[in-house]
Amino acid sequence: MNQANNPLHGLTLEAILTDLQRQLGWEGLYQKIRVNCFSDNPSIKSSLKFLRKTQWARDKLEILYLTTHQLELPAHLLAVHTQTAPQKSQHKTSPTSAAGINSHIWGKK
């Protein structure tokens, strides 16, 4: 990738996280990216440690930063951002059987 076309070039992960934390706060970050490092005793240091080890979470943080600042997504993040959600299963379940299970991951149905 040509770094001249990458809006993240020259930005550290710490700078991205600090900027978003100032804009959204820890609660706002947790609402956008559901990871415990943003909700359970959050700090820049602990969040950086997690984000450096977890590529999918780092990708989501970078996408959030770029979309918040209305910047164009680089190709490697565009692919992550436009992936389709998994298809819903064809079998029907009763409304109470799966209600609330993993709703923090999959969202409310």
Side-chain angles (χ1 to χ4, degrees):
M1 175 188 339
N2 183 355
Q3 291 299 327
N5 295 328
N6 184 352
L8 295 172
H9 181 68
L11 288 174
T12 63
L13 184 59
E14 183 174 7
I16 292 169
L17 178 60
T18 301
D19 180 77
L20 288 172
Q21 192 278 325
R22 284 184 184 143
Q23 284 187 37
L24 304 172
W26 291 115
E27 187 175 320
L29 272 171
Y30 182 71
Q31 291 300 317
K32 301 282 187 181
I33 306 170
R34 297 286 181 138
V35 292
N36 287 338
C37 67
F38 295 154
S39 68
D40 185 25
N41 196 20
S43 72
I44 296 292
K45 184 178 178 181
S46 65
S47 297
L48 285 171
K49 185 175 180 180
F50 174 77
L51 292 165
R52 287 182 178 129
K53 292 181 180 181
T54 315
Q55 187 62 46
W56 64 263
R58 182 180 180 145
D59 289 345
K60 286 184 177 230
L61 186 79
E62 290 175 350
I63 290 168
L64 179 60
Y65 177 84
L66 293 169
T67 55
T68 300
H69 291 281
Q70 299 176 346
L71 298 171
E72 188 174 334
L73 296 177
H76 75 283
L77 290 176
L78 188 58
V80 172
H81 185 62
T82 58
Q83 287 177 348
T84 57
Q87 296 293 323
K88 292 184 180 179
S89 64
Q90 297 298 324
H91 67 278
K92 293 185 178 185
T93 59
S94 67
T96 58
S97 67
I101 298 175
N102 291 333
S103 63
H104 67 286
I105 297 171
W106 301 109
K108 296 181 181 181
K109 295 186 181 195

